[in-house]
Amino acid sequence: MSVAVELLASLIRVPSVNPSIAPDEAGDERAIAAFACEWLASHGVRAWQEEAAPGRSNAVAEVRGGEGPTLVLCGHIDTVGTPGMPAPFEPRIETGRMYGRGAYDMKGGVAACMATAAALAGEQFGGTLMLALVADEEHASLGSQAYVARHRADACILTEPSEGDLMFAHKGFVWLDVVVRGRAAHGSRWDLGDSANARMGHVLAALDRFDAEVLRGRRDPVLGPASMHPALLKGGVGLSTYAPECCLQIERRTLPGETPDQVRDELAAVVHASAPDAEVAITLVRPAMHCDESQPIRRMVRDAITQVTGTAPREIGVGFWTDAALFAAAGIPTVDYGPTGAGAHEPEEWVEIASVERTAQVLLQAARDFFARRR
């Protein structure tokens, strides 16, 4: 069994459920960050913990090979919760797969990053390899935000599962709240009451038309169309009372080049056509990401995949969001390459063992090429 695979089993054994999404499962990232730092130090890699938020830790590591550029390898160390899993933190190997919470999403990629750092610690090269093993990706990406605020780099490879493909672009998203108000009155007083829920119904119909008729026609050649959906709806205070307020929470998936202000203004225009006094506010923004073909890191990872596997990878864009966007927004060209598996956020989660080993080989080859060509 390779170093990366043995390490993956050890990582699965350390619970690191994100407390923001599963508060009933006691835990956070501090224990796994400590384990990662201890393992790296025992393999000749300087490593330390950095606080991403109170009680939330990143594990950061550095291998200095001399003067030259900085490459960062990134993976998140938090996981989602474990409902329906009888033994989530007991790694199990069957038919070439390793099962356990986080095996696929994404401790397989983290193990590959750590194994690469350990391998480079014994080599001579020109530059610095950094590891960003970050907290909170599954909720608000506090770990990556903290990392890019403190550290600079010339390129980044994220190791989210990619099924062997080279991912160079993905959509972003904007979350918005729409609040419509009515007038509370007894359910018998049709002459006084004004239901905010009924008013929101007109808003929902208008937003649905906007999504189908406008957004789906706005397309990126790699990522496809923009989109939005009404995600959560809450209104009313009781069956015998006209609803005084209704709140709609929207997720709008964005394409490269779309801005939060554009998204808010467009949706506000649609909403206000049906409910002029409605309030529209952004609650969270995550940018889209695109790594241009001209960026050396994209070419070098593609070449490394080809060299290791014997086949040039598919180069793809995806609709979901990753921490790669935060690195790209900080001016760090970023691509993603990671293992193969299934079961992210599901009761049965597994990663293909050979793909974890392959990811470690690709990362090591890409890092060697990056430092050799950038000197």
Side-chain angles (χ1 to χ4, degrees):
M1 190 179 295
S2 69
V3 170
V5 175
E6 290 181 354
L7 176 56
L8 171 58
S10 296
L11 290 168
I12 292 171
R13 292 188 185 100
V14 183
S16 55
V17 175
N18 189 313
S20 296
I21 59 176
D24 294 336
E25 296 191 44
D28 53 43
E29 301 89 353
R30 287 175 291 186
I32 196 168
F35 169 82
C37 290
E38 291 168 6
W39 187 94
L40 288 162
S42 72
H43 287 75
V45 178
R46 177 173 172 256
W48 63 97
Q49 293 189 53
E50 291 182 351
E51 189 175 71
R56 313 292 295 278
S57 293
N58 290 345
V60 179
E62 177 185 69
V63 180
R64 289 191 59 83
E67 295 299 319
T70 296
L71 173 66
V72 58
L73 307 180
C74 178
H76 67 82
I77 52 178
D78 63 319
T79 72
V80 296
T82 63
M85 302 184 78
F89 309 120
E90 296 178 15
R92 183 178 89 254
I93 294 177
E94 292 181 9
T95 62
R97 300 172 175 179
M98 187 175 293
Y99 291 79
R101 178 52 85 219
Y104 179 59
D105 184 21
M106 62 166 294
K107 292 181 179 181
V110 169
C113 292
M114 294 171 65
T116 300
L120 276 180
E123 298 185 6
Q124 296 294 318
F125 62 94
T128 299
L129 179 77
M130 298 288 294
L131 297 189
L133 309 181
V134 296
D136 196 51
E137 188 274 349
E138 296 290 3
H139 181 247
S141 293
L142 297 174
S144 285
Q145 289 186 89
Y147 182 88
V148 298
R150 295 168 179 154
H151 302 279
R152 302 302 306 160
D154 297 286
C156 174
I157 306 173
L158 187 70
T159 57
E160 284 276 11
S162 73
E163 319 309 315
D165 297 329
L166 174 59
M167 190 272 284
F168 67 92
H170 65 64
K171 292 181 180 179
F173 64 87
V174 179
W175 289 349
L176 306 98
D177 282 358
V178 176
V179 178
V180 171
R181 291 186 169 83
R183 185 184 188 282
H186 191 277
S188 66
R189 294 304 303 269
W190 57 267
D191 55 325
L192 297 179
D194 180 12
S195 172
N197 292 347
R199 298 186 67 204
M200 185 65 84
H202 297 291
V203 171
L204 284 165
L207 289 172
D208 192 51
R209 288 193 299 272
F210 176 72
D211 178 45
E213 298 171 4
V214 178
L215 294 182
R216 300 304 173 89
R218 187 178 300 166
R219 302 183 66 88
D220 179 270
V222 173
L223 299 174
S227 65
M228 59 150 287
H229 66 103
L232 295 170
L233 187 65
K234 182 179 180 180
V237 294
L239 279 171
S240 292
T241 304
Y242 277 78
E245 181 177 293
C246 186
C247 179
L248 168 66
Q249 293 178 283
I250 296 171
E251 181 178 76
R252 165 75 153 83
R253 291 283 164 164
T254 58
L255 304 176
E258 292 190 304
T259 68
D261 287 348
Q262 173 191 351
V263 168
R264 182 197 59 230
D265 291 348
E266 281 188 336
L267 292 186
V270 175
V271 169
H272 289 154
S274 298
D277 56 348
E279 300 170 8
V280 180
I282 291 173
T283 59
L284 183 67
V285 173
R286 290 290 179 259
M289 188 279 288
H290 184 278
C291 185
D292 190 75
E293 169 68 28
S294 65
Q295 293 294 340
I297 192 61
R298 180 173 164 185
R299 300 196 306 272
M300 290 176 185
V301 175
R302 179 180 60 218
D303 291 348
I305 298 168
T306 303
Q307 183 171 339
V308 169
T309 67
T311 305
R314 289 197 314 155
E315 298 184 58
I316 63 168
V318 297
F320 56 81
W321 190 87
T322 76
D323 276 351
L326 295 177
F327 285 83
I332 303 171
T334 303
V335 294
D336 180 86
Y337 176 77
T340 297
H345 300 209
E346 297 179 18
E348 184 171 83
E349 178 178 359
W350 59 269
V351 68
E352 181 189 74
I353 289 173
S355 74
V356 175
E357 297 172 326
R358 189 164 55 246
T359 299
Q361 294 167 357
V362 167
L363 292 180
L364 183 58
Q365 186 61 52
R368 286 169 173 163
D369 290 348
F370 180 83
F371 294 122
R373 298 182 193 181
R374 293 294 297 271
R375 273 190 272 185

